[in-house]
C-alpha cells in the first residue's frame, strides 16, 4: 500500500499536486482596485478554476480575478451591464505563497459585493460550496491531487452598516465557516475589515454621522479578532484596518492596499503547517 505522504511527495515532483484556495466574502474580496497596478502572479504559481464560465480548463491567475464567475441570484458581481471586479488581493496572495513555499495553487472565486452574513446563510453559501465541490470533482477527473485546502474570508462591512452585534456576527460567521469545513476545507484565514471612510456629519434626514458609523465597523473588527482567538480553525491572516489612507471611497481601496494585504495573506498561508 502506498502511504498518503508518498503520494503527496510523488505528486509535487510530478507537478500534479496543488493546494486549493477559495477566496470568499464581499466587495473587498472581489476587489475594487485597478488591475493595471495589481501584483503579477507568476504563471508557474498556479491557476484559477472558473467553474461557472470556463468549467473545462484551468486558466492563469490574472486580475481582475474572478471575472465572469457570476451566477444570477447568487454570487453575482455584475452591475449595470458590467462587472464590479476591477483588481483584487488574489494575485499577490497566490504569488507570495508560491515564492515562499514552491507549492502550486488552484484558486476559486466565491465573493459578492455588498453581501451580508444573513445573505450568505440564506443563499450565497450554497453557491460557494457548490463551487468547492465542482472544483474538487474537476481536479479529481484530471488526476490532480489536492493537498491543503484554504478558505480566505473577507466580509463584514455590510454587517457593520446593518449595525449587527458582535455576538450575532460571530454566530453567523461560525456557521458559514463550518459549512466550508464540512466540504473539505481545512482552515479559514480571515482578512479583517477596515474603516468606514466618511467624515461627514449626520444630515437632516437622520443619517448616522460617518464617525459614529465607523464605530460599528470597529464592532465587527473586534468580533473577527474574537473569532480568531476562540476557534482554532480560524486564523487572522491580514487586516485592512491600517489602510485608511489608501481608501478611495467609503468602503474600498486603491490597488496598492489590495497588493499589500495580499502579500500578508500569502505569507500567513505559507507559515501554516496544518494537514
Amino acid at each position: 500500500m502506498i502511504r498518503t505522504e508518498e503520494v503527496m511527495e510523488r505528486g509535487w515532483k510530478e507537478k500534479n499536486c496543488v493546494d486549493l484556495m477559495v477566496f470568499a466574502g464581499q466587495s473587498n474580496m472581489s476587489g475594487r482596485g485597478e488591475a493595471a497596478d495589481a501584483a503579477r502572479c507568476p504563471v508557474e504559481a498556479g491557476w484559477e478554476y472558473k467553474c461557472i464560465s470556463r468549467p473545462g480548463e484551468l486558466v492563469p491567475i490574472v486580475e481582475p480575478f474572478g471575472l465572469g464567475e457570476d451566477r444570477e441570484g447568487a454570487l453575482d458581481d455584475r452591475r449595470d451591464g458590467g462587472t464590479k471586479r476591477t483588481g483584487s488581493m488574489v494575485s499577490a496572495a497566490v504569488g507570495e505563497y508560491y515564492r515562499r513555499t514552491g507549492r502550486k495553487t488552484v484558486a476559486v472565486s466565491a465573493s459578492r459585493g455588498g453581501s451580508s452574513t444573513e445573505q450568505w446563510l440564506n443563499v450565497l453559501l450554497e453557491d460557494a460550496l457548490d463551487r468547492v465541490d465542482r472544483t474538487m470533482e474537476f481536479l479529481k477527473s484530471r488526476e490532480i491531487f489536492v493537498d491543503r485546502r484554504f478558505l480566505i474570508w473577507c466580509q463584514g462591512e455590510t454587517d457593520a452598516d446593518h449595525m449587527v452585534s458582535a455576538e450575532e456576527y460571530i454566530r453567523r460567521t461560525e456557521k458559514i465557516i463550518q459549512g466550508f469545513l464540512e466540504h473539505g476545507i481545512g482552515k479559514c484565514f480571515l482578512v479583517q475589515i477596515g474603516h468606514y471612510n466618511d467624515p461627514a456629519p449626520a444630515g437632516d434626514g437622520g443619517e448616522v454621522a460617518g464617525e459614529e458609523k465607523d464605530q460599528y465597523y470597529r464592532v465587527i473588527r473586534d468580533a473577527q479578532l474574537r473569532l480568531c482567538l476562540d476557534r482554532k480553525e480560524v486564523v487572522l491572516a491580514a487586516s485592512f484596518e491600517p489602510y485608511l489612507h489608501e481608501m478611495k471611497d467609503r468602503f474600498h481601496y486603491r490597488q496598492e492596499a489590495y497588493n499589500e494585504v495580499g502579500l500578508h495573506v500569502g505569507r500567513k498561508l505559507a507559515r501554516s503547517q496544518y494537514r
Side-chain angles (χ1 to χ4, degrees), residues 130-165:
D130 178 65
R131 296 177 188 221
V132 173
D133 293 344
R134 290 177 64 179
T135 303
M136 294 298 297
E137 290 169 4
F138 171 82
L139 295 174
K140 182 178 180 180
S141 74
R142 298 302 194 273
E143 298 184 344
I144 299 173
F145 181 83
V146 181
D147 186 9
R148 299 175 183 174
R149 305 170 190 183
F150 304 103
L151 167 66
I152 299 90
W153 176 255
C154 182
Q155 186 279 338
E157 294 92 345
T158 297
D159 287 73
D161 292 339
H162 294 172
M163 303 178 190
V164 172
S165 70

Side-chain angles (χ1 to χ4, degrees), residues 77-142:
D77 235 355
R78 296 168 295 189
R79 304 290 188 278
D80 303 321
T83 183
K84 298 289 286 186
R85 303 178 191 274
T86 55
S88 77
M89 69 177 81
V90 176
S91 291
V94 174
E96 184 69 5
Y97 182 70
Y98 177 75
R99 281 187 284 270
R100 289 176 176 265
T101 66
R103 301 170 71 96
K104 296 179 181 293
T105 294
V106 169
V108 177
S109 173
S111 57
R112 174 175 173 166
S115 55
S116 66
T117 48
E118 184 176 22
Q119 289 174 300
W120 269 88
L121 289 173
N122 291 339
V123 178
L124 304 182
L125 181 59
E126 181 179 358
D127 185 4
L129 297 180
D130 178 65
R131 296 177 188 221
V132 173
D133 293 344
R134 290 177 64 179
T135 303
M136 294 298 297
E137 290 169 4
F138 171 82
L139 295 174
K140 182 178 180 180
S141 74
R142 298 302 194 273

